[in-house]
Amino acid sequence: MEKFFNIKCRASGLVPNVVVLVATVRALKMHGGGPSVTAGVPLKKEYTEENIQLVADGCCNLQKQIQIAQLFGVPVVVALNVFKTDTRAEIDLVCELAKRAGAFDAVPCYHWSAGGKGSVDLARAVRDAANKRSRFQFLYDVQ
């Protein structure tokens, strides 16, 4: 996002209307101190069972990303890609903490299991955020 804003937007004159920040419960658990994940090795129970503390601890990373986007003056929609091992409590916690951190909206997305129908709420949230007036600004002068 920062490279796009700082380089592409300067060179092209493009101005973003919204940032879609994609997250998963598993990634947040990893950021929260969960064990390493290795390709080809079954996931540890921390990733297949509810673990609210790991999710909460990992949300500091998500909150920082929201804050960075807000510095640019662009509304943020968090798209939480939901998988079958994610629990309702974990999903609700991520969405609540994202909104509390200043996200315009945080939406559970079920396209993994329901196809396009599983992202309709995300599309609506992005539309609503994009219709909000963006106050996009560069964070530094290139001179």
Side-chain angles (χ1 to χ4, degrees):
M1 174 195 71
E2 289 184 69
K3 287 180 183 178
F4 178 82
F5 286 174
N6 289 321
I7 298 170
K8 194 73 167 179
C9 290
R10 280 186 205 276
S12 68
L14 293 172
V15 176
N17 293 321
V18 64
V19 169
V20 177
L21 185 57
V22 180
T24 65
V25 167
R26 182 184 304 167
L28 293 170
K29 286 178 174 181
M30 290 177 74
H31 288 295
S36 295
V37 173
T38 305
V41 175
L43 291 172
K44 298 206 171 19
K45 68 177 176 57
E46 289 85 354
Y47 300 111
T48 59
E49 297 174 6
E50 182 173 276
N51 192 319
I52 296 297
Q53 190 60 56
L54 275 181
V55 174
D57 291 346
C59 278
C60 65
N61 182 276
L62 178 66
Q63 292 162 331
K64 185 62 177 177
Q65 298 305 317
I66 293 167
Q67 291 169 357
I68 291 168
Q70 288 177 320
L71 291 174
F72 286 95
V74 182
V76 178
V77 173
V78 173
L80 181 64
N81 288 347
V82 176
F83 295 93
K84 65 182 179 180
T85 56
D86 302 343
T87 67
R88 174 55 44 200
E90 292 171 332
I91 294 164
D92 290 346
L93 177 63
V94 172
C95 292
E96 176 190 333
L97 292 177
K99 290 177 191 175
R100 210 183 297 164
F104 177 84
D105 205 351
V107 182
C109 302
Y110 297 91
H111 54 278
W112 185 79
S113 59
K117 292 178 189 176
S119 292
V120 172
D121 290 340
L122 174 62
R124 288 186 182 120
V126 169
R127 179 199 59 207
D128 293 347
N131 285 331
K132 183 180 175 188
R133 190 163 190 273
S134 174
R135 298 173 285 108
F136 179 74
Q137 63 182 2
F138 294 110
L139 301 185
Y140 60 88
D141 183 350
V142 292
Q143 302 305 318

